[in-house]
Amino acid sequence: MVNGQYKKMLEEKSIIRQLSEFAADRGRQIGYENVFDFSLGNPSVPVPEKFTEVMVELLKNRNSMELHGYSPSLGIASVKEKIADSLNRRFGMNYTGNHIFPTTGAAGAVAHALRCVTSPGDEVLTFAPYFPEYNLYVNMTGAQLKVVPANTQNFQINFEKLEEMLTKKVAALLINTPNNPSGAVYSEETLKELSDLLSRKQKEYGHDIFLISDEPYREIVFGGLEVPYVSKYYDNTLSCYSYSKSLSLPGERIGYVAANPKCRDAELISAICGQISRGIGHNCPPSIIQLAVAEVVDQTSDMSVYEENMNLLYDELTSLGFSCIKPGGTFYIFPKALEENEEAFCRKALAYDLVLVPSGSFGMPGYFRMAYCIDTEKVKRSLPVIHRFVRENYQ
Amino acid sequence: MVNGQYKKMLEEKSIIRQLSEFAADRGRQIGYENVFDFSLGNPSVPVPEKFTEVMVELLKNRNSMELHGYSPSLGIASVKEKIADSLNRRFGMNYTGNHIFPTTGAAGAVAHALRCVTSPGDEVLTFAPYFPEYNLYVNMTGAQLKVVPANTQNFQINFEKLEEMLTKKVAALLINTPNNPSGAVYSEETLKELSDLLSRKQKEYGHDIFLISDEPYREIVFGGLEVPYVSKYYDNTLSCYSYSKSLSLPGERIGYVAANPKCRDAELISAICGQISRGIGHNCPPSIIQLAVAEVVDQTSDMSVYEENMNLLYDELTSLGFSCIKPGGTFYIFPKALEENEEAFCRKALAYDLVLVPSGSFGMPGYFRMAYCIDTEKVKRSLPVIHRFVRENYQ
């Protein structure tokens, strides 16, 4: 019989999915250019040309059996070394290829990292607001996700609440900086305080506490900000990365887990990820995608459009009286809704063909998320519409 | 702390992997051309040219955001339709795109199908000899794999033993035709008898029994043999396919689960697979690989070399007195070893730089597997070596 647990999951439809389906339907009615769809985090800039060149080069010149043959089960050694070298060069780390496990994006990386360092019954902590898929990634391991309330001043960490919740049952923390949905970037100060607390608790409890750092937006930062590299601050860190956003290729499903060389069992993490992957029949990301990405590890797409869009929206929203942290990165902004019930707020916006995501599913009611990975021209056209929506409903 | 279950799995090293590492080491010592490595099932013929052309075409002419953007979580609709159409045309089925779920090869397909139709505590039956990774795919679901002893006459099904083991606890059967390692192809007669038995037992027990059909070798058959399409014979069938072997691109990890339109909850299987995939953060196979494969669904690489190799080996082995079923397909042959202890037999062969896989891990002692997806020239050079090995040890 069909598995009941999965069947039940089908009933819980993602709100983001529903909204993006609404936007698509509405687009068919009134023209896509007239729907201001801020629901989806799909990159809106092209892949770097070099990636396409490398792909074509591989297809034309590489022996096809070598190119399309089985990747070693822990990933292609030369690819892992190039990723390690790039991280070492940029962040002063000491990875070797053996610390890198190629995955299907950051989602795959986080799901593997969680299975690596938790056992059923453990607790995993994350921080509101958080990416709703974390619920699933954690629940499927048999561990339990607990959400530390936000520091709503600046979306750094609420250390008081964290310390309360950081009991002996906690095996891992899952953080996301730059953050989806808030756009906040953890400061060096935050990471140092976090590291101190975790180190102290590890000693107190006599067991490891892993930090799983979900970093798909690491390269999308604004105003010349430097994103501190999380793993530099705490040894028991597994960094989860995706090239989806930085290279604009989310459909190609490529990223990695990088185990800090000083973390517990550092030399085993990659091999354990291999076992996890084997159990689901997945094995590695496709050979050709691994090989192509390895040639552009230090590049990104031209992401200046995201900063331009952010500034346009931030200025408009704050001038309209929205309370809002200025994003340090990502392509999201997370203002407070103008009424307590953020679902009602977002529902009213739909009447203006403004598709905003209510914040409930991010573990934090009262806010909404806008994904501004769309054309700047459209962002500009949305500003008077947002203005009209606010004036007609809240002024 | 690092998960103990996975850590333990690392200790159980695959014999096939060990042998192929031996072959690589030995190759470095004496030259690869002098090692007769029959250990690995890595296709030895090029990908069809059309696949490469389509990939280059997509990279050069398709808008990169569209090409590399997120695939819908259940796969790209046009791709699923092309796969369904091809199956309908070739096998007289009535699939729609909604019955097809793209996966990372047949391994991913089998692992997803198993999670779909079993629950922890269920039993899954397979048949000796069987692909050793089945243990892992089944164990990771919380179900238990039980192995029905072989029909050693012809490697069809031992129905007497099957009926004994087909208790009420059995949720699914996992079959593999053409079979790795035996090369046997289930006849229409076998499939009809299997279908009758399963239908009878479904009625008797009052619950569904699913047939998971692992078919990565469906296109590699010899002597003009037609492989009966399993799903035609039994409605509760999930067909698991890979393009790895037929298109020679195992590294690109692409295949699918096809749910028989008449199976229980047929309209939900794909969506449930989507939930399973989401839980491991995998989502879909890469967009570009999905799109490219969809254009060559009716093609295969030129696989005549496998038949030539099979005939050379079969003739030599039988003339040397080996007891051996003539493979109807795949690129494997599975003769009986010349002594009871097949590991000792294979160890002795290594002294001749003949790398043969002992059959223990296939759930059936006393045999050995040869993977003949290697150059015919090398197969020819191996024949006198096999001859010498047998003469010096067993005559």
Side-chain angles (χ1 to χ4, degrees):
Chain A
M1 274 179 306
V2 169
N3 181 296
Q5 183 198 357
Y6 293 118
K7 211 165 162 179
K8 190 151 168 282
M9 282 164 67
L10 289 180
E11 293 159 18
E12 298 151 16
K13 233 185 159 184
S14 145
I15 179 106
I16 299 179
R17 168 79 64 89
Q18 284 178 55
L19 284 168
S20 107
E21 280 168 11
F22 167 88
D25 282 350
R26 187 74 181 137
R28 277 186 285 272
Q29 286 167 31
I30 62 166
Y32 293 102
E33 67 284 7
N34 299 314
V35 181
F36 301 101
D37 182 4
F38 292 102
S39 68
L40 267 193
N42 216 346
S44 61
V45 294
V47 75
E49 270 173 40
K50 171 88 177 165
F51 175 82
T52 306
E53 283 165 23
V54 172
M55 286 283 285
V56 171
E57 228 282 311
L58 287 167
L59 286 160
K60 288 198 163 163
N61 301 328
R62 186 75 68 99
N63 170 299
S64 95
M65 284 169 286
E66 195 188 310
L67 176 61
H68 302 303
Y70 280 115
S71 152
S73 57
L74 303 186
I76 299 172
S78 64
V79 171
K80 291 150 64 95
E81 275 157 29
K82 280 178 184 158
I83 293 172
D85 289 349
S86 168
L87 291 171
N88 296 344
R89 210 163 40 233
R90 295 178 56 210
F91 304 118
M93 297 293 292
N94 292 299
Y95 295 113
T96 68
N98 291 334
H99 299 112
I100 309 296
F101 181 76
T103 61
T104 47
V110 169
H112 278 74
L114 281 165
R115 281 166 174 74
C116 250
V117 297
T118 68
S119 298
D122 286 345
E123 283 183 8
V124 175
L125 300 183
T126 196
F127 299 86
Y130 69 98
F131 182 48
E133 294 293 285
Y134 290 172
N135 287 303
L136 194 70
Y137 303 153
V138 175
N139 290 343
M140 300 292 269
T141 67
Q144 203 190 349
L145 185 69
K146 299 225 161 167
V147 182
V148 181
N151 170 345
T152 52
Q153 292 293 304
N154 52 15
F155 292 120
Q156 298 290 312
I157 288 178
N158 182 336
F159 279 102
E160 203 181 324
K161 290 282 176 195
L162 170 58
E163 190 155 357
E164 260 175 59
M165 295 176 69
L166 191 51
T167 66
K168 205 167 176 165
K169 291 183 78 176
V170 174
L173 271 68
L174 176 50
I175 66 172
N176 174 219
T177 169
N179 180 266
N180 170 11
S182 75
V185 178
Y186 283 172
S187 65
E188 188 163 36
E189 195 190 342
T190 296
L191 291 174
K192 280 184 177 161
E193 195 172 342
L194 179 62
S195 168
D196 288 348
L197 175 63
L198 293 180
S199 301
R200 185 154 53 80
K201 289 291 177 182
Q202 286 196 133
K203 268 198 199 130
E204 187 183 329
Y205 298 149
H207 67 70
D208 296 299
I209 303 173
F210 272 87
L211 186 58
I212 299 176
S213 178
D214 180 23
E215 311 177 353
Y217 302 100
R218 195 173 65 207
E219 260 62 77
I220 313 183
V221 283
F222 306 141
L225 187 73
E226 287 239 337
V227 177
Y229 188 68
V230 173
S231 197
K232 279 197 82 76
Y233 296 87
Y234 184 66
D235 290 345
N236 270 341
T237 297
L238 305 182
S239 305
C240 298
Y241 188 71
S242 171
Y243 293 99
S244 294
K245 320 292 180 179
S246 60
L247 295 176
S248 285
L249 34 70
E252 307 311 354
R253 319 294 308 125
I254 181 90
Y256 57 79
V257 176
N260 185 308
K262 291 184 192 156
C263 81
R264 170 81 58 193
D265 287 329
E267 70 293 350
L268 293 184
I269 298 289
S270 195
I272 288 174
C273 285
Q275 295 297 321
I276 295 165
S277 212
R278 204 180 140 204
I280 191 79
H282 173 240
N283 305 326
C284 265
S287 304
I288 190 171
I289 307 288
Q290 286 189 60
L291 290 167
V293 157
E295 298 307 314
V296 291
V297 276
D298 288 334
Q299 295 198 27
T300 66
S301 297
D302 174 7
M303 296 183 297
S304 56
V305 59
Y306 301 138
E307 183 157 8
E308 194 180 351
N309 291 353
M310 184 277 290
N311 281 317
L312 285 166
L313 283 170
Y314 179 76
D315 290 347
E316 179 70 20
L317 290 165
T318 48
S319 84
L320 283 169
F322 281 93
S323 158
C324 182
I325 308 295
K326 188 169 188 175
T330 75
F331 36 58
Y332 306 109
I333 192 166
F334 196 63
K336 206 161 183 179
L338 294 178
E339 59 182 294
E340 212 170 297
N341 183 336
E342 78 281 358
E343 291 201 14
F345 174 84
C346 293
R347 212 175 306 117
K348 284 174 196 160
L350 284 182
Y352 297 79
D353 295 309
L354 283 170
V355 188
L356 316 173
V357 179
S359 63
S361 63
F362 300 109
M364 187 168 177
Y367 291 72
F368 63 98
R369 186 190 80 170
M370 298 176 79
Y372 45 82
C373 36
I374 61 175
D375 286 346
T376 301
E377 174 276 327
K378 201 170 194 179
V379 172
K380 284 182 181 161
R381 281 196 293 119
S382 78
L383 301 180
V385 181
I386 297 172
H387 194 106
R388 194 158 57 85
F389 159 56
V390 171
R391 200 184 55 226
E392 292 179 359
N393 290 274
Y394 300 99
Q395 280 174 357
Chain B
M1 274 179 307
V2 170
N3 182 295
Q5 184 197 356
Y6 294 118
K7 210 164 162 180
K8 190 152 167 282
M9 282 164 67
L10 289 179
E11 292 159 18
E12 297 150 17
K13 233 184 159 183
S14 143
I15 180 107
I16 299 178
R17 169 80 64 89
Q18 284 178 56
L19 283 168
S20 107
E21 281 168 9
F22 167 89
D25 282 349
R26 188 73 181 140
R28 278 185 284 273
Q29 287 168 31
I30 62 166
Y32 293 101
E33 69 283 7
N34 298 314
V35 181
F36 302 101
D37 182 4
F38 292 102
S39 67
L40 266 193
N42 216 347
S44 62
V45 295
V47 75
E49 269 173 40
K50 171 91 175 162
F51 175 82
T52 306
E53 282 164 25
V54 172
M55 287 282 285
V56 171
E57 229 281 311
L58 287 167
L59 286 160
K60 289 198 163 165
N61 301 329
R62 187 72 69 99
N63 171 300
S64 95
M65 283 169 287
E66 196 189 309
L67 176 61
H68 301 303
Y70 279 115
S71 154
S73 56
L74 303 186
I76 299 172
S78 63
V79 171
K80 290 151 64 97
E81 277 156 29
K82 280 178 184 158
I83 292 171
D85 289 349
S86 167
L87 291 172
N88 295 344
R89 210 163 40 233
R90 296 177 55 209
F91 304 118
M93 297 294 291
N94 293 299
Y95 295 114
T96 69
N98 292 334
H99 298 113
I100 308 295
F101 181 77
T103 61
T104 47
V110 169
H112 279 73
L114 281 165
R115 279 166 177 75
C116 250
V117 297
T118 68
S119 297
D122 286 345
E123 284 183 7
V124 174
L125 301 183
T126 195
F127 299 86
Y130 70 99
F131 182 48
E133 294 293 286
Y134 289 172
N135 288 303
L136 195 68
Y137 303 154
V138 175
N139 290 343
M140 300 293 269
T141 68
Q144 203 190 349
L145 184 70
K146 298 224 162 167
V147 181
V148 181
N151 170 345
T152 51
Q153 293 292 303
N154 52 13
F155 292 121
Q156 299 289 314
I157 287 177
N158 181 336
F159 280 102
E160 201 181 324
K161 290 282 175 194
L162 171 59
E163 191 156 356
E164 261 175 58
M165 295 176 70
L166 192 52
T167 67
K168 207 168 173 162
K169 293 184 76 177
V170 174
L173 271 68
L174 177 50
I175 65 172
N176 174 219
T177 169
N179 180 266
N180 170 11
S182 74
V185 177
Y186 283 172
S187 67
E188 190 164 35
E189 194 190 343
T190 297
L191 291 174
K192 280 184 176 161
E193 193 171 344
L194 179 62
S195 169
D196 290 347
L197 175 63
L198 292 180
S199 303
R200 182 151 56 79
K201 290 290 176 182
Q202 285 196 134
K203 269 198 199 131
E204 185 183 329
Y205 299 148
H207 67 70
D208 296 299
I209 303 172
F210 272 87
L211 185 57
I212 299 176
S213 178
D214 180 23
E215 311 178 353
Y217 303 98
R218 196 174 63 207
E219 260 62 79
I220 312 182
V221 282
F222 307 140
L225 187 73
E226 287 238 338
V227 177
Y229 188 68
V230 173
S231 198
K232 279 197 84 75
Y233 297 85
Y234 184 66
D235 290 345
N236 270 341
T237 297
L238 305 181
S239 305
C240 299
Y241 188 71
S242 171
Y243 293 99
S244 294
K245 320 292 180 180
S246 60
L247 296 175
S248 286
L249 36 68
E252 308 310 356
R253 317 296 307 125
I254 180 88
Y256 57 80
V257 176
N260 186 309
K262 292 184 192 155
C263 80
R264 170 80 59 191
D265 288 328
E267 71 293 350
L268 293 184
I269 299 289
S270 196
I272 289 175
C273 286
Q275 295 298 321
I276 296 165
S277 212
R278 203 179 141 205
I280 190 80
H282 173 238
N283 308 323
C284 266
S287 304
I288 191 171
I289 307 287
Q290 285 189 60
L291 291 167
V293 157
E295 299 306 315
V296 291
V297 277
D298 288 334
Q299 294 199 25
T300 66
S301 297
D302 173 7
M303 297 183 295
S304 56
V305 58
Y306 302 138
E307 183 157 9
E308 193 180 351
N309 292 352
M310 184 276 290
N311 281 318
L312 285 166
L313 283 170
Y314 180 75
D315 290 347
E316 179 71 20
L317 290 165
T318 48
S319 86
L320 284 170
F322 282 93
S323 156
C324 181
I325 308 294
K326 189 169 187 175
T330 76
F331 36 58
Y332 306 108
I333 192 165
F334 196 63
K336 205 159 184 181
L338 294 179
E339 59 182 295
E340 210 172 299
N341 182 337
E342 79 280 359
E343 291 202 15
F345 174 84
C346 294
R347 210 173 310 117
K348 283 175 196 158
L350 284 182
Y352 297 79
D353 295 309
L354 284 170
V355 187
L356 317 173
V357 179
S359 63
S361 62
F362 300 109
M364 188 169 176
Y367 291 72
F368 63 98
R369 186 188 80 171
M370 297 176 80
Y372 44 85
C373 36
I374 61 175
D375 286 346
T376 302
E377 173 274 329
K378 202 171 193 178
V379 172
K380 284 182 181 160
R381 281 196 291 119
S382 77
L383 301 179
V385 181
I386 297 171
H387 193 107
R388 192 156 57 85
F389 159 56
V390 170
R391 198 184 56 225
E392 292 180 1
N393 290 274
Y394 300 99
Q395 283 174 355

